[in-house]
Amino acid sequence: MSSYGTLIFFCGKMGAGKSTLSVSIARERGAVLLSEDDWLATLFPGEINDFNDYISYSSRLKPLLRKHVEQILLAGTTVVLDFPGNTRKQRAWFKDIYSQRGISHELYYVMAEDEVCLKQLKQR
């Protein structure tokens, strides 16, 4: 058994509660929480205006964070990534982080009805 940390990530609809769950898990596990929304808002304030902007900036952020996350995991600290994992391509990014070194990982699928998601999106 390695002394690496565990990579935790999420899949689910927008507004399903993934970010809320990520905060809770990070707190419970004493893990480092990294939120894509926080990083993008801090690094590129006011520059993300549509989905294409998001894709462009997110793809610029991920190579840097990939190395950073791997270093934290190899140091033995669990990392909770509040990044979307809804598509195969998004999940492949997570897999690239954990698979090369045999790092343990957990994928949480957050289920919520459409009405709940829409209500929570309106509250943001």
Side-chain angles (χ1 to χ4, degrees):
M1 194 63 141
S2 75
S3 61
Y4 300 155
T6 299
L7 178 64
I8 299 171
F9 53 102
F10 304 87
C11 180
K13 297 176 191 173
M14 287 181 65
K18 298 180 302 295
S19 293
T20 301
L21 181 59
S22 69
V23 169
S24 175
I25 290 172
R27 189 176 299 125
E28 290 171 11
R29 307 263 298 258
V32 171
L33 172 63
L34 299 174
S35 165
E36 183 182 46
D37 289 344
D38 291 347
W39 279 79
L40 291 174
T42 300
L43 292 173
F44 311 109
E47 296 180 47
I48 301 175
N49 301 307
D50 58 34
F51 188 69
N52 289 332
D53 290 343
Y54 162 74
I55 295 297
S56 174
Y57 286 107
S58 177
S59 66
R60 291 171 58 189
L61 176 65
K62 286 182 176 177
L64 170 66
L65 282 183
R66 188 225 171 277
K67 292 176 186 177
H68 183 62
V69 169
E70 183 180 37
Q71 290 175 342
I72 295 169
L73 291 163
L74 293 176
T77 301
T78 292
V79 176
V80 177
L81 286 178
D82 183 14
F83 282 61
N86 294 338
T87 67
R88 287 183 178 169
K89 184 176 180 179
Q90 290 168 332
R91 289 188 300 275
W93 181 70
F94 298 120
K95 186 175 182 180
D96 186 49
I97 296 170
Y98 67 74
S99 65
Q100 293 177 6
R101 306 262 188 153
I103 295 169
S104 66
H105 56 283
E106 299 173 12
L107 168 63
Y108 287 80
Y109 183 80
V110 182
M111 294 178 55
E113 297 296 325
D114 289 345
E115 298 79 28
V116 172
C117 294
L118 290 171
K119 179 182 177 186
Q120 292 182 153
L121 285 172
K122 287 180 184 178
Q123 291 175 348
R124 287 187 184 172

